[in-house]
Amino acid sequence: MKVQLIYIGLFVLIIGFLAAINYTSSIRQLERQVIESNQNVLAQISKRMDSMLQEVNLTAINYLRMPGVQAFFEAPSSVSPSYLLSVSALQDQLGSVMGANFNMKSAMLYSRVKDEVMTASDVYSLKERQELEWVRSFLDNKSPKWTALGPEAGLSGGNASSDTAAPDRPGQCQILLVHYYPLNAGPVDSKGTAIIRINEKSISDLFADLQFGGNDNVYLIDGSGRILSHKNPGLIWQSMADRSYSRELLARQGRGYLTDKGTGSLIFYDTSYTGWKLVYIVSERQISTLTLTVRYILAGLACAMVLVAIAATLFINRRWFAPMERFVGKLEEMADRRRGGQGGGGSYQELELEIRQVFTGYDDAEKRLHESLPARKLQIMFELLTGARTRYQAAEPLLEQAGIRLFPAHYTVLAMEFDYTADWGKPGDMNLFLYGLCNVAEEIASSLEGMKGAAVQMNGYQAVMVLSFADSPEARNLQAARRFAEALMNYIEACFKRTICVGIGGHYTDFASIKTSYQEALRMISCKILTGQNTNITQDEVGNWDNRRVVEVFETADTLLEAVRRTEAERAEELLEELFAQAKRCRLSKEMMVQLCLQLFLRTLQTAEDAGVGELFRAEHKTLPGILEHCGSLKEMREAVSVVTAQLIAALQEKRSSRRKSAELVESVMAYAAKHYNQSDLSVNFLAERYGLTPNYVSKLFKDYTQCNFVDYLARVRAKEAARLLLSTPLKLDEIALQIGYTNFSSFLRNFKKHYGMTPTEYRQMHRADTEL
């Protein structure tokens, strides 16, 4: 029994020790993850807040650049109809701007010349509205573009409208965007100022994404430590300067975190482009709640292991120790009867060793959350290929973290593209094949002695492989790169049933020259139009051609495509003749000419797709390669391409002719509406029946051509005719409505006001007053 208790106690100590070590390491790892994740989330929210405020700022700038704003700031007040209309239009525009941007709570313009404030709903004189005297304070001193004012500034709303009222609740502040007018002026030489009041709730609503956002521990503070935004309105405009960490927090810039030594809380901060700080406080108690799950899991696991240990001990005791004890006891009795001897305890030592071996196999159960390796790998590879990282020693830790294995020297870059991509299905299929290509390339590189490499997808159609070599001879390494490319091409063709082209860049010793080799590999892969499909392209092959003449071939091909887009048949035929003549002077092989023609056809097919006639030429895409392969001369090849080019030009001409007919139909509809607007039954259905078309087709055709629907167009025509009749005839409003085709008087009033911004009576009175003046 004593042995069992000893073993059980020993197991409990071991399990408790392992659980304590595991708990300590897990808590530390969890704290690091909490800090990193909260910093990232706070940074994202800060970016969203900056984006929101920048959008408001851009909206304000665009509004201040509108026609009529200058007249409000610089022209004196007037009671003339033209001036009143201009101010009314500015108010409507301001109301529209605020309606489109719910982050703007109110806006006002102050003119120094007139000493007036304009909002979306009214115009005030500061002499009559003493409660708005605070507006002048921005012209006395240079104010930051983004500023905040508290209740002590005297911003009382009184009976003012919501456009000019100060804080909605006592104790809150105003978050303001201030622009002087003109935009490049200062407070002294400005004509006035525009003040935008920001909806503070739009900012505080962003805080909900934080992990502890529901605990009122997220603040937006200014440079003095005053709270500008918070979930609890009662805390706004209170100062955080009296807190133990405030001095260090206000002195820091950028983003990061600090620890409150008094409470152990973590203070995360991120500096906005406005100069304010977004502060996120996580108390030690809040962090400890995250450890409860780990604590419960480890405690449960430890208890389970203790129970297993006890059960195992009891089972082994019942199965082995108890019979052994009885056996030993009998031996002792026999020995005592014979000679008084004693039994040994070797069996107990062996059993103890067996139990210890079972439980010493316990593995560490710590779980770590790793960053996404593919994303990190893509970032590191992009930095290598663009020259952002030029020292191997500095990049080596990052390479290890991303799972990239490279030698310290001797590099060659390969650019890889799949062939015949035009007949692929969805774009996602290409991404899957490129992913598989990268995996296969890395597996082949790792299987070759003296070679290491990493591959990554760079865009929607291309992958890049960085090869490094253990040996230094350039010729041997380039030969190894070519053998690698051939092995990769053979594997892809055999397993993927696809072919690829591989462009091989130059061999360089230093780490910084990976960028140069990558650029060379891209230039090699761009020459696959001349080398053909399923090839690897090196500098030796490309260097044998006359580069100047090859460039001329590409330029002529581009000019030919432009002639096809313009449906210039004769010009296209001339350029096609010139293209083949230039290709002949370049001494391009038949295989290169086939690839040139296929690439030319693929580009013309894209033109057909853009014009909506690509369906007619997809069958040609499957048959043209065979036709070109069977051509015995350049003349036959040119004739084959010429037939396709002529068919495409004819299809484009027919398509454009159809568009012209559609335009003529729409113009006919518009002319009919302008002449017969007084027909009360004039509608899309009436026009469809008149022209023998369906209503949906007429409606869609009209909107595609005019960018507005027929109902709005007819309402605009009738409104203009109503305006003419209002000024040139003494007809009553209901008579005018009937004369221009309205049977519903309310519809006439609604559409007229929608078009002119006033009722017909106001329009007639205002314009007659202008005539009398």
Side-chain angles (χ1 to χ4, degrees):
M1 189 65 181
K2 292 182 179 180
V3 174
Q4 295 182 32
L5 294 176
I6 292 174
Y7 284 152
I8 291 175
L10 181 62
F11 292 151
V12 170
L13 289 176
I14 293 174
I15 293 171
F17 178 73
L18 292 177
I21 294 177
N22 212 346
Y23 175 76
T24 302
S25 62
S26 299
I27 293 303
R28 291 178 180 176
Q29 180 68 15
L30 183 61
E31 289 178 352
R32 288 195 296 267
Q33 292 172 356
V34 167
I35 291 174
E36 183 176 355
S37 62
N38 281 295
Q39 279 184 317
N40 292 336
V41 174
L42 187 64
Q44 291 298 321
I45 292 180
S46 180
K47 289 180 181 178
R48 287 163 55 189
M49 184 184 70
D50 285 350
S51 176
M52 181 187 73
L53 297 179
Q54 288 170 353
E55 180 184 359
V56 173
N57 182 39
L58 180 60
T59 301
I61 292 174
N62 290 335
Y63 177 78
L64 292 177
R65 291 173 177 170
M66 288 183 176
V69 173
Q70 181 179 2
F72 171 77
F73 281 107
E74 299 181 359
S77 297
S78 173
V79 293
S80 65
S82 59
Y83 174 79
L84 295 178
L85 283 174
S86 174
V87 172
S88 178
L90 281 179
Q91 288 178 312
D92 291 342
Q93 291 171 347
L94 185 58
S96 299
V97 168
M98 292 176 58
N101 194 326
F102 64 89
N103 299 317
M104 298 170 59
K105 197 164 189 178
S106 64
M108 64 179 72
L109 304 182
Y110 170 66
S111 171
R112 188 201 296 265
V113 175
K114 294 190 286 285
D115 198 28
E116 290 182 350
V117 170
M118 184 192 77
T119 70
S121 60
D122 211 340
V123 177
Y124 307 99
S125 172
L126 290 192
K127 295 179 181 179
E128 301 172 356
R129 302 296 297 275
Q130 297 298 321
E131 68 271 14
L132 299 179
E133 283 292 333
W134 58 272
V135 176
R136 288 199 185 99
S137 64
F138 292 109
L139 299 178
D140 298 335
N141 299 296
K142 177 66 176 178
S143 174
K145 181 169 66 174
W146 290 99
T147 186
L149 297 179
E152 71 276 5
L155 280 70
S156 62
N159 296 324
S161 69
S162 61
D163 294 334
T164 60
D168 300 322
R169 293 178 293 274
Q172 287 191 267
C173 70
Q174 297 274 24
I175 300 177
L176 304 177
L177 167 63
V178 181
H179 273 294
Y180 296 104
Y181 188 87
L183 292 172
N184 58 353
V188 177
D189 57 346
S190 66
K191 303 296 184 183
T193 182
I195 303 174
I196 311 298
R197 181 183 174 195
I198 305 302
N199 187 354
E200 181 272 330
K201 193 173 185 303
S202 297
I203 298 176
S204 61
D205 286 345
L206 298 175
F207 304 160
D209 290 344
L210 287 170
Q211 185 172 357
F212 301 110
N215 293 320
D216 298 337
N217 49 8
V218 189
Y219 307 82
L220 177 66
I221 64 173
D222 62 9
S224 64
R226 288 193 178 273
I227 300 173
L228 305 183
S229 181
H230 191 267
K231 181 180 178 181
N232 181 5
L235 296 179
I236 294 178
W237 203 244
Q238 294 186 13
S239 177
M240 298 178 65
D242 56 346
R243 305 192 183 187
S244 59
Y245 54 81
S246 61
R247 179 176 297 180
E248 182 180 0
L249 174 64
L250 296 176
R252 293 193 180 188
Q253 296 297 323
R255 66 169 58 103
Y257 78 98
L258 53 91
T259 303
D260 185 359
K261 297 180 181 179
T263 63
S265 301
L266 295 179
I267 317 298
F268 299 94
Y269 62 89
D270 193 295
T271 305
S272 167
Y273 96 104
T274 62
W276 300 331
K277 282 188 175 68
L278 193 60
V279 180
Y280 178 27
I281 303 176
V282 181
S283 67
E284 185 179 13
R285 181 182 59 81
Q286 291 170 332
I287 296 176
S288 65
T289 59
L290 297 177
T291 65
L292 288 178
T293 302
V294 176
R295 194 179 306 166
Y296 291 153
I297 292 176
L298 291 178
L301 182 62
C303 292
M305 293 180 65
V306 168
L307 293 177
V308 170
I310 294 174
T313 303
L314 294 176
F315 174 78
I316 293 175
N317 177 69
R318 180 176 297 178
R319 186 71 178 269
W320 301 100
F321 285 176
M324 184 64 65
E325 287 178 354
R326 289 194 296 270
F327 176 73
V328 171
K330 291 182 179 180
L331 290 179
E332 289 177 351
E333 291 177 0
M334 292 175 62
D336 290 340
R337 285 196 299 267
R338 293 179 181 179
R339 3 173 245 282
Q342 297 181 351
S347 297
Y348 291 101
Q349 295 177 353
E350 293 177 1
L351 183 58
E352 179 183 359
L353 178 61
E354 183 179 351
I355 296 175
R356 188 179 297 276
Q357 289 176 349
V358 171
F359 287 96
T360 54
Y362 173 69
D363 294 327
D364 187 9
E366 179 183 2
K367 298 179 181 179
R368 297 182 179 181
L369 299 176
H370 296 280
E371 294 182 3
S372 174
L373 287 180
R376 177 173 293 186
K377 179 180 179 181
L378 176 61
Q379 178 184 357
I380 297 300
M381 289 289 288
F382 182 79
E383 292 174 351
L384 296 183
L385 298 172
T386 56
R389 297 194 180 275
T390 57
R391 296 178 61 250
Y392 177 82
Q393 291 76 9
E396 186 177 10
L398 298 176
L399 296 176
E400 290 291 335
Q401 292 177 6
I404 300 175
R405 303 291 184 267
L406 295 176
F407 288 110
H410 314 300
Y411 306 98
T412 295
V413 179
L414 281 65
M416 303 171 289
E417 288 184 5
F418 278 97
D419 300 329
Y420 303 110
T421 57
D423 58 352
W424 286 50
K426 301 178 181 178
D429 296 340
M430 174 66 77
N431 293 331
L432 290 176
F433 274 93
L434 287 172
Y435 178 77
L437 173 62
C438 293
N439 289 338
V440 170
E442 291 183 348
E443 289 295 330
I444 294 177
S446 63
S447 65
L448 298 177
E449 185 177 357
M451 180 185 296
K452 293 181 180 179
V456 69
Q457 177 183 347
M458 293 301 293
N459 48 49
Y461 61 91
Q462 193 176 80
V464 175
M465 179 78 180
V466 177
L467 290 180
S468 62
F469 306 92
D471 298 330
S472 58
E474 177 179 350
R476 185 191 306 171
N477 291 341
L478 286 176
Q479 185 63 30
R482 283 191 287 269
R483 289 197 302 269
F484 167 81
E486 292 173 358
L488 178 62
M489 291 162 56
N490 293 335
Y491 186 91
I492 296 299
E493 185 174 8
C495 297
F496 289 14
K497 308 304 179 184
R498 300 279 181 174
T499 59
I500 61 172
C501 279
V502 181
I504 303 177
H507 176 274
Y508 294 92
T509 302
D510 57 313
F511 191 75
S513 296
I514 292 179
K515 174 184 177 181
T516 304
S517 183
Y518 172 55
Q519 293 173 344
E520 293 176 353
L522 292 180
R523 189 167 66 88
M524 295 301 104
I525 201 66
S526 67
C527 295
K528 76 173 187 177
I529 189 175
L530 302 176
T531 60
Q533 312 291 344
N534 198 25
T535 58
N536 57 55
I537 311 166
T538 63
Q539 183 64 41
D540 295 338
E541 297 173 352
V542 176
N544 294 329
W545 299 326
D546 189 333
N547 292 333
R548 181 180 59 82
R549 290 183 174 178
V550 171
V551 171
E552 291 177 354
V553 170
F554 289 118
E555 291 177 350
T556 303
D558 292 337
T559 308
L560 172 60
L561 288 173
E562 186 62 29
V564 171
R565 293 189 186 99
R566 295 178 179 177
T567 65
E568 299 173 352
E570 295 182 359
R571 176 62 175 162
E573 188 65 24
E574 293 175 359
L575 290 171
L576 188 61
E577 185 74 29
E578 181 181 351
L579 177 66
F580 274 81
Q582 291 174 343
K584 184 176 181 181
R585 288 195 295 271
C586 289
R587 300 184 302 276
L588 299 181
S589 64
K590 178 181 177 181
E591 290 76 12
M592 295 180 182
M593 285 303 305
V594 169
Q595 296 306 317
L596 175 62
C597 293
L598 288 177
Q599 293 295 330
L600 184 62
F601 172 74
L602 290 176
R603 295 175 68 183
T604 56
L605 180 60
Q606 185 61 49
T607 300
E609 293 284 359
D610 295 340
V613 295
E615 191 69 29
L616 303 175
F617 296 92
R618 288 179 183 168
E620 298 284 349
H621 181 231
K622 297 180 180 179
T623 59
L624 188 60
I627 296 174
L628 295 175
E629 289 289 349
H630 288 86
C631 289
S633 64
L634 288 179
K635 180 180 179 181
E636 294 178 2
M637 194 175 294
R638 184 186 63 78
E639 290 175 352
V641 177
S642 177
V643 170
V644 177
T645 304
Q647 291 175 350
L648 176 59
I649 291 176
L652 292 175
Q653 289 174 342
E654 182 179 355
K655 184 72 173 180
R656 290 170 185 173
S657 175
S658 175
R659 289 178 179 174
R660 282 194 295 270
K661 292 179 181 179
S662 299
E664 292 173 358
L665 176 62
V666 173
E667 290 174 356
S668 175
V669 170
M670 294 172 67
Y672 185 87
K675 186 176 180 181
H676 300 88
Y677 59 86
N678 56 352
Q679 292 182 208
S680 60
D681 61 343
L682 183 58
S683 63
V684 173
N685 291 335
F686 176 86
L687 294 171
E689 184 178 354
R690 184 177 186 277
Y691 288 97
L693 302 170
T694 63
N696 288 338
Y697 179 75
V698 173
S699 179
K700 182 179 183 303
L701 200 63
F702 191 90
K703 186 163 187 179
D704 290 343
Y705 187 80
T706 64
Q707 304 303 314
C708 72
N709 57 53
F710 177 76
V711 174
D712 291 339
Y713 174 77
L714 180 60
R716 186 164 62 246
V717 172
R718 288 174 171 173
K720 290 182 179 178
E721 179 61 18
R724 186 187 68 81
L725 294 175
L726 285 168
L727 300 181
S728 61
T729 67
L731 294 175
K732 296 181 179 179
L733 297 185
D734 55 348
E735 294 174 343
I736 294 176
L738 291 174
Q739 190 166 332
I740 63 175
Y742 282 104
T743 57
N744 188 316
F745 186 67
S746 298
S747 298
F748 164 65
L749 293 177
R750 183 176 61 255
N751 289 329
F752 188 91
K753 186 172 184 180
K754 178 181 178 182
H755 185 71
Y756 286 101
M758 63 185 72
T759 65
T761 302
E762 293 171 342
Y763 182 85
R764 173 178 274 173
Q765 292 173 352
M766 184 186 69
H767 283 278
R768 285 185 175 177
D770 290 343
T771 304
E772 294 173 359
L773 292 175

